[in-house]
Amino acid sequence: MRRNRKILFGGSLLAALCILSLCAPVIAPHDPLRVDIGARFHAPSRIYPLGADGLGRCELSRVLHAAGVSLGASAVTSLAIIVTGILFGMAAALSGGITDRILSRIIDILLSFPSLLLALAVAGMIGPSLAGVAAGIAFTGWAPFARIARNAVLEVMTSEFYQSARVIGAGNGRIMLHYLLPQVMIAVATLAGFELRSVLLGISGLSFLGLGMQAPFPELGAMLGEARIYIGSAPHLIVAPGAMLFFIVLGCTLLGEGLNEYYAVNR
Amino acid sequence: MRFTAARDILARFAWFVVHVLAVSLICFSALSLVPGDPAAVLLRAYEEPVSDEAIRDTQARMGTDRPFLVRYVRWLGHAACFDFGVSFRTGEPAAARILGSLPATLELATAAFVLLVFLSLAAAITATHWRNGRPDLCLQYVSVTLGSVPAFWLGLLLVIVFSVALGVTPVAGRDGPMHLILPVMTLALGASLVQGRVIRGLFLGILQQNYIRTARARGLGEARILLVHVLKNALPGVLVIWGISFGHLLCGSVIVENIFSWPGMGTLVVESIFARDYPVLMGCVLTGSLCFLAVNALADALARVFDPRRR
């Protein structure tokens, strides 16, 4: 796996950004919420390395904290999506028969639903909040993983090593954990990087529209949404959060492509 | 043969209807997540304070005191006739506001789609012709980079460069073709290069086929093989990819429209969320989802027309 340059580069980029955002409370030069009216639209300087925003808050501190919020929210949402998908897909494949057909149809219907629109609807109905946006994205997001997990289980069930396990009398629990789950995890891993990426773009995109993280707390998309009013006078406020978001997404893309290639070759 | 084809079409149509119903059910259940009572929300939009009697009156008039299923069927019946109720904010029919903003969204998505079709095809052909060569590698780097730029950041950067610094393009609004340039680029640039990579993969798969070897053995030029033999046989798959892209462009336009104050459904949807204008919001989500489903179904149907193996 270390030979794959995309995994190496994407993974280390992502890891570095994670560490950076986790250490935000320690390394950030200022409190991200501290308002200093005198420093409004401060250009980058020694006190404010990336300048200050429309309320005179330190841009660097805000970006560092915002990256943690964006990354954390997307990671939790992605994890919830993947676990739900695996459970649902495995349940469908293992139950078989009419239950499987009904569950598969539900998966199909959710797959054909434009997820961003539903996230908008949910966020709009329960009122703008980070949790609402995450719930809206997760609502349909698990469907692809359910389909993948289901297919992986069905594939294993036709294999000889699964049948031999049955013959030697392995119990259901043992078969689930040692025979089915590893194959399902491999299938899921090829998509995990892309999932993190699309969840991140969804959450920050909706926050950009003002539906996610609410002021004064920083989130990368929300910061861009606030900065766009001052686009003519303070373009530096747009560069920093956007660049942070770009590097996180780039890390996810490279990791996703690398994992995809790695498992395609080593199948 | 005829019979099975007709049955197939009928079955697909039936599933399309089921999908539409499921979408409408999800939309409607989202409405019941609203904290507080819709009747009170409606009344407070006009006047305050509101008496309990007035709320009960409005509840009876709106039918919100009825069970969930009754409300759903009633709402669905009205929605089928394109009647989403009255906008809480402006008092005009919600459907009129949605229909009024639909052309702008379609214009933006279609223009972006045309750019995407040309750009993705050009990128795929270039990358396939010089596969593993320098142009291919360059395109790969550019597509990974551009594909990782979030649309809302790209849009703002384009505004900074072209509108603020250079002053070539207008910042916002919808008034002639010049206003279309930045939103279309924001919407389609990253997606088209990413789709170009997918189409390149499709092309490379087809190049492995036996009939391509036959064509080479017959002495046909590489360009002719790529542009005629490969392109023709990749068309059904490419159509499906483009169909999915068009759906994503429609969804993506929610964010892009808001960057450029484009007066389409994306702007309307966000406006109605902040104004708590639920009839308009529901109508927008349902109309948008229908467009999305219809485009995907259309792409699928076209692929079947062009590829007998898919029938």
Side-chain angles (χ1 to χ4, degrees):
Chain A
M1 197 178 263
R2 258 178 250 148
R3 295 251 178 85
N4 189 313
R5 274 166 54 207
K6 280 181 183 166
I7 296 183
L8 193 69
F9 189 65
S12 25
L13 184 60
L14 214 51
L17 291 172
C18 281
I19 293 171
L20 208 59
S21 59
L22 278 177
C23 297
V26 182
I27 53 175
H30 297 275
D31 178 356
L33 302 181
R34 203 199 63 186
V35 174
D36 176 5
I37 291 297
R40 291 185 69 204
F41 303 119
H42 207 288
S45 68
R46 195 173 289 167
I47 312 168
Y48 296 112
L50 289 176
D53 70 0
L55 288 173
R57 295 174 295 197
C58 172
E59 184 76 357
L60 176 65
S61 311
R62 283 183 75 74
V63 167
L64 287 174
H65 279 90
V69 172
S70 304
L71 265 171
S74 332
V76 170
T77 313
S78 307
L79 199 66
I81 283 175
I82 291 174
V83 170
T84 315
I86 289 178
L87 290 179
F88 199 92
M90 283 181 81
L94 289 174
S95 52
I98 184 82
T99 322
D100 180 32
R101 286 184 60 181
I102 293 173
L103 293 183
S104 301
R105 259 307 153 186
I106 295 178
I107 297 174
D108 273 356
I109 287 172
L110 286 179
L111 275 176
S112 67
F113 201 97
S115 49
L116 187 72
L117 272 178
L118 188 84
L120 265 177
V122 172
M125 296 300 175
I126 63 180
S129 71
L130 192 59
V133 166
I137 288 172
F139 192 88
T140 56
W142 56 270
F145 288 95
R147 173 178 275 185
I148 289 166
R150 178 179 170 272
N151 289 347
V153 170
L154 290 181
E155 209 183 303
V156 176
M157 281 164 85
T158 59
S159 70
E160 280 171 0
F161 92 104
Y162 168 81
Q163 279 157 6
S164 65
R166 279 270 178 229
V167 168
I168 61 171
N172 277 337
R174 190 180 168 77
I175 285 190
M176 289 262 271
L177 282 180
H178 293 275
Y179 290 78
L180 300 180
L181 204 57
Q183 297 298 312
V184 171
M185 292 307 283
I186 288 177
V188 164
T190 59
L191 272 189
F194 293 126
E195 182 60 24
L196 185 62
R197 169 200 147 104
S198 66
V199 169
L200 183 77
L201 284 176
I203 287 183
S204 55
L206 292 177
S207 294
F208 173 76
L209 297 178
L211 297 171
M213 198 55 161
Q214 296 300 301
F217 299 102
E219 196 275 346
L220 291 173
M223 284 181 73
L224 282 173
E226 284 167 28
R228 107 184 119 136
I229 315 164
Y230 315 118
I231 192 164
S233 51
H236 67 275
L237 294 180
I238 288 185
V239 176
M244 190 57 146
L245 198 52
F246 165 71
F247 283 120
I248 298 176
V249 176
L250 185 67
C252 295
T253 311
L254 288 174
L255 189 66
E257 284 197 4
L259 286 173
N260 212 348
E261 285 168 14
Y262 177 78
Y263 284 115
V265 174
N266 296 293
R267 253 229 145 138
Chain B
M1 273 318 271
R2 262 256 148 105
F3 180 64
T4 44
R7 225 180 69 172
D8 189 49
I9 291 172
L10 215 62
R12 301 204 131 247
F13 185 72
W15 277 121
F16 182 72
V17 173
V18 170
H19 278 205
V20 170
L21 284 178
V23 163
S24 71
L25 186 63
I26 294 173
C27 280
F28 192 77
S29 359
L31 183 66
S32 45
L33 289 175
V34 177
D37 179 29
V41 172
L42 172 62
L43 285 180
R44 294 221 171 88
Y46 291 116
E47 56 187 302
E48 348 203 356
V50 189
S51 68
D52 286 352
E53 205 172 312
I55 289 181
R56 261 194 305 273
D57 243 32
T58 319
Q59 268 182 344
R61 197 156 43 80
M62 288 167 72
T64 48
D65 51 350
R66 314 285 291 277
F68 176 80
L69 265 181
V70 176
R71 277 182 291 144
Y72 170 62
V73 171
R74 244 180 68 161
W75 176 77
L76 191 66
H78 287 298
C81 311
F82 218 73
D83 172 13
F84 297 117
V86 176
S87 165
F88 283 4
R89 213 176 75 163
T90 61
E92 41 181 340
R97 295 192 70 191
I98 295 166
L99 275 185
S101 59
L102 191 58
T105 297
L106 287 180
E107 180 189 315
L108 180 61
T110 312
F113 183 66
V114 171
L115 181 67
L116 179 129
V117 164
F118 278 107
L119 219 55
S120 62
L121 206 56
I125 289 174
T126 315
T128 315
H129 189 74
W130 286 283
R131 51 190 167 277
N132 301 325
R134 200 160 286 169
D136 187 20
L137 268 174
C138 275
L139 273 170
Q140 191 183 348
Y141 284 128
V142 174
S143 89
V144 167
T145 315
L146 259 183
S148 299
V149 179
F152 42 97
W153 192 43
L154 181 65
L156 295 177
L157 289 182
L158 288 175
V159 169
I160 291 179
V161 173
F162 289 102
S163 304
V164 178
L166 298 176
V168 219
T169 50
V171 179
R174 177 186 182 223
D175 185 22
M178 282 304 274
H179 284 81
L180 210 55
I181 297 175
L182 289 189
V184 163
M185 281 188 14
T186 307
L187 201 49
L189 222 50
S192 49
L193 288 174
V194 173
Q195 300 302 350
R197 296 303 295 176
V198 181
I199 296 175
R200 167 190 176 269
L202 223 62
F203 283 177
L204 289 184
I206 287 174
L207 277 172
Q208 309 279 320
Q209 306 268 336
N210 285 334
Y211 65 82
I212 298 294
R213 195 171 39 199
T214 312
R216 287 215 183 97
R218 277 165 58 210
L220 294 182
E222 242 354 83
R224 193 182 151 80
I225 288 177
L226 190 57
L227 292 178
V228 179
H229 292 73
V230 172
L231 196 57
K232 205 168 137 189
N233 285 283
L235 195 60
V238 172
L239 276 175
V240 173
I241 292 172
W242 282 343
I244 293 168
S245 304
F246 191 76
H248 285 306
L249 290 179
L250 273 177
C251 284
S253 64
V254 172
I255 286 172
V256 174
E257 280 179 12
N258 276 287
I259 302 174
F260 296 98
S261 307
W262 188 261
M265 268 175 65
T267 309
L268 185 64
V269 122
V270 174
E271 233 178 72
S272 60
I273 286 177
F274 285 115
R276 303 219 159 263
D277 194 348
Y278 299 117
V280 175
L281 174 58
M282 302 280 291
C284 279
V285 172
L286 193 63
T287 314
S289 313
L290 276 183
C291 290
F292 187 83
L293 283 180
V295 167
N296 282 355
L298 189 70
D300 208 44
L302 276 179
R304 282 156 176 275
V305 169
F306 284 106
D307 187 358
R309 282 170 305 182
R310 282 172 193 257
R311 278 175 212 161

